[in-house]
Amino acid sequence: MEQYHGTTILGVKKGGRTVIAGDGQVSLGNTVIKPNARKVRRIGEQGKVIGGFAGATADAFTLFERLERKLEQYNNQLLRAAVELAKDWRTDKFLRNLEAMMIVADAEQLLILTGNGDVLEPEGGIAAIGSGGNYALAAARALADYEQDPEVLARRAMQIASEVCVFTNDWLTIETIEA
């Protein structure tokens, strides 16, 4: 069975603002199935957490729902909720089989969550996941010294990734959190 591809998610934390940007492309093999998917959204109480996902859509929505419950349980403490989700994700028989990764952020933290139980705070406040993630990450790191606005930086890095990665397009969804 062919695999669905086509997600690039980039998180940039700089100057008191955090931005998560995601492209819109979903591909099956060499065919673009959907050009305008929304892979970035606000979660948690009053939308104080933003997140983007790469991987199977149903799996990612399951993880978003679980993270929202953890945020409620731990009074919107993102790091604590993320660690508890990672524990469940790693040990629960059902969750262990989910194929997705997430970048999540609040006003203080930017984190990458994986099914291996990882909760990672990226170096330099820049994180990327998905099929075009390495392209976006490289572009964002190269631009970081020259662009102070994290949204402009994220848009430009995602544009570069879309020009290099065939599984990434330039239809962006962007969410921002202010410190």
Side-chain angles (χ1 to χ4, degrees):
M1 186 170 170
E2 286 191 79
Q3 292 288 323
Y4 282 95
H5 292 282
T7 298
T8 302
I9 303 294
L10 175 65
V12 178
K13 181 178 176 57
K14 192 170 191 169
R17 291 177 57 214
T18 303
V19 173
I20 297 181
D23 79 314
Q25 184 167 311
V26 177
S27 303
L28 178 59
N30 293 326
T31 305
V32 176
I33 301 297
K34 185 173 183 172
N36 60 350
R38 290 186 52 90
K39 304 168 200 170
V40 176
R41 62 185 246 188
R42 291 187 172 275
I43 57 176
E45 186 178 310
Q46 300 157 354
K48 292 183 179 179
V49 174
I50 54 177
F53 69 86
T57 305
D59 293 355
F61 283 132
T62 299
L63 292 168
F64 271 135
E65 289 171 7
R66 295 282 182 127
L67 181 58
E68 283 183 309
R69 281 191 236 136
K70 295 292 184 187
L71 286 166
E72 288 173 14
Q73 184 178 355
Y74 295 105
N75 201 26
N76 273 337
Q77 296 176 47
L78 178 61
L79 184 57
R80 176 78 189 271
V83 168
E84 294 301 322
L85 174 64
K87 284 185 202 176
D88 290 352
W89 194 354
R90 181 77 175 144
T91 59
D92 184 272
K93 286 182 181 181
F94 168 72
L95 291 178
R96 191 176 343 169
N97 294 318
L98 298 182
E99 296 182 12
M101 292 179 72
M102 301 169 69
I103 294 178
V104 293
D106 64 8
E108 288 83 39
Q109 288 145 336
L110 175 67
L111 304 170
I112 300 172
L113 309 179
T114 75
N116 294 328
D118 298 318
V119 177
L120 306 169
E121 189 167 8
E123 180 183 2
I126 300 172
I129 58 174
S131 54
N134 287 336
Y135 303 112
L137 179 64
R141 284 187 177 172
L143 295 168
D145 288 339
Y146 306 101
E147 181 54 62
Q148 297 310 308
D149 185 320
E151 184 173 338
V152 172
L153 193 156
R155 284 183 184 279
R156 183 65 187 124
M158 291 293 288
Q159 179 65 40
I160 291 167
S162 76
E163 293 168 1
V164 178
C165 179
V166 296
F167 297 114
T168 304
N169 70 9
D170 59 0
W171 192 95
L172 302 179
T173 302
I174 296 179
E175 291 288 349
T176 303
I177 294 282
E178 304 271 344

